[in-house]
Amino acid sequence: MKIVVIGGTGLIGSKTVEKLKQHGHDAIAAAPNTGVNTVTGEGLAEALTGADVVIDVANSPSFEDQAAMDFFQAAGKNLTAAEIAAGVKHHVALSVVGTDRLQDSGYFRAKLAQEAMIKSSPIPYTLVHATQFFEFVRSIAGFSMQGDAVHLPPVLFQPMAAEDVASAIADVAMDQPLNNTIEIAGPETFTLDEPVRMALAHDGDLRKVIADSDAPYFGVKVSERTLVPGPDARLGSTRFDWWLANVPPPPAHR
C-alpha cells in the first residue's frame, strides 16, 4: 500500500515510516521539511495521489490555546479535502489518552476538535489514543518546577516508548479501519512522580521531585485516572527501566 505519514519526519512519524517500509509498504514522510504543509495545503494533493492510507501524527508547533486550535482546524480541513479527492480508504490519527478528561486545557480542547472533525469526515478512520511517551518524561520535570523542586500530582501514569507507539500505529494502518478509538499504553503503571524521579536520578540531576496532590499536570488539575487508559488498552512491551538504561537521552539532557 501507499501510506502517507503526516508529521513523518518527527519522533513518532519517522519510526512509523521505517516500520511500514520494513513491511514492504510505500511509506511517504510528509512534513513541511519534505514540501508538504497541511496548514497551507502546500504539496498535499501531490503527496496523497494514489494513497491508500493516511496517518496523521503531526502536532501543533504551539501549545497556546488559539494557536493549537487554529493549527488542528486548518490542517484537518485541508487534509480531509485532499483525502476525499485522492480516494483515501483509511485515516489513522494519533491522539492522547484522557483528551476528553483534560478539557481545562486549550491544547486538549483543540485535540478534541480535531477528533470531532475526523469522526464527521466521510473517510473511514481509526483514532489511536496513546499515553505519554517515555521520551517526554524529562520534559515533565521542566514544566513542573515550583521554586527549585519538581512538584507532581501522584496520580496513575502508564507511559510508553515511542518505538512501541510507532509499532502500534503501523499495525493499525495495515489493518482495516475501525471507525472507533483504541487506546495504547506502556506495560507498567506508576504514579506520575515515580518515572520523573527515576529519570532525574539516572541523569545525575539533583532536583528534588515532590509528590504534591495539589500540583497540576501541564497546568491542568488531574484526578487519579485522568492519564491512564481503560482495561482494553493495547500494551507496549518496553519497560521504563530498560529504556532508561539503553536509550541515550537527547543532547539537551546529557
Side-chain angles (χ1 to χ4, degrees):
M1 291 189 293
K2 178 179 177 180
I3 303 176
V4 178
V5 183
I6 306 295
T9 60
L11 172 67
I12 302 299
S14 58
K15 294 178 184 297
T16 303
V17 166
E18 188 56 40
K19 290 177 187 299
L20 292 168
K21 286 181 175 178
Q22 289 170 5
H23 284 277
H25 297 289
D26 178 17
I28 309 296
N33 58 0
T34 67
V36 181
N37 189 318
T38 53
V39 173
T40 64
E42 177 195 357
L44 199 51
E46 294 83 356
L48 265 57
T49 300
D52 300 288
V53 180
V54 170
I55 300 172
D56 185 5
V57 295
N59 203 0
S60 170
S62 171
F63 287 92
E64 191 272 321
D65 292 6
Q66 193 58 50
M69 185 66 78
D70 290 345
F71 173 85
F72 286 119
Q73 291 200 322
K77 182 179 177 182
N78 289 334
L79 201 46
T80 297
E83 288 176 343
I84 292 169
V88 169
K89 302 176 185 70
H90 188 187
H91 178 93
V92 179
L94 177 63
S95 195
V96 184
V97 163
T99 290
D100 58 333
R101 301 188 289 271
L102 291 161
Q103 291 299 294
D104 287 343
S105 158
Y107 172 79
F108 285 104
R109 290 195 295 273
K111 286 297 291 180
L112 198 63
Q114 178 197 27
E115 293 185 17
M117 291 178 74
I118 291 165
K119 291 175 181 178
S120 66
S121 161
I123 306 295
Y125 72 91
T126 306
L127 278 172
V128 180
H129 274 196
T131 54
Q132 184 60 275
F133 312 152
F134 292 166
E135 283 76 3
F136 292 119
V137 164
R138 292 179 172 96
S139 301
I140 292 171
F143 277 103
S144 306
M145 294 296 295
Q146 292 182 28
D148 57 0
V150 179
H151 286 248
L152 288 167
V155 297
L156 296 177
F157 189 57
Q158 203 170 332
M160 65 188 301
E163 200 72 41
D164 290 344
V165 177
S167 293
I169 291 170
D171 287 346
V172 165
M174 292 184 291
D175 209 342
Q176 295 300 309
L178 298 176
N179 292 317
N180 210 338
T181 301
I182 68 161
E183 293 184 315
I184 60 174
E188 306 163 281
T189 302
F190 305 93
T191 57
L192 179 55
D193 54 303
E194 289 175 325
V196 176
R197 191 176 292 111
M198 290 166 66
L200 296 188
H202 177 269
D203 295 347
D205 187 324
L206 299 179
R207 283 178 292 175
K208 187 175 182 180
V209 178
I210 297 172
D212 177 356
S213 58
D214 293 323
Y217 174 71
F218 288 101
V220 180
K221 186 74 175 171
V222 290
S223 60
E224 185 181 30
R225 298 199 61 84
T226 300
L227 306 177
V228 291
D232 297 326
R234 303 182 187 183
L235 304 185
S237 59
T238 308
R239 292 173 57 90
F240 187 65
D241 56 357
W242 182 93
W243 180 87
L244 264 184
N246 289 277
V247 179
H253 295 291
R254 284 181 182 161

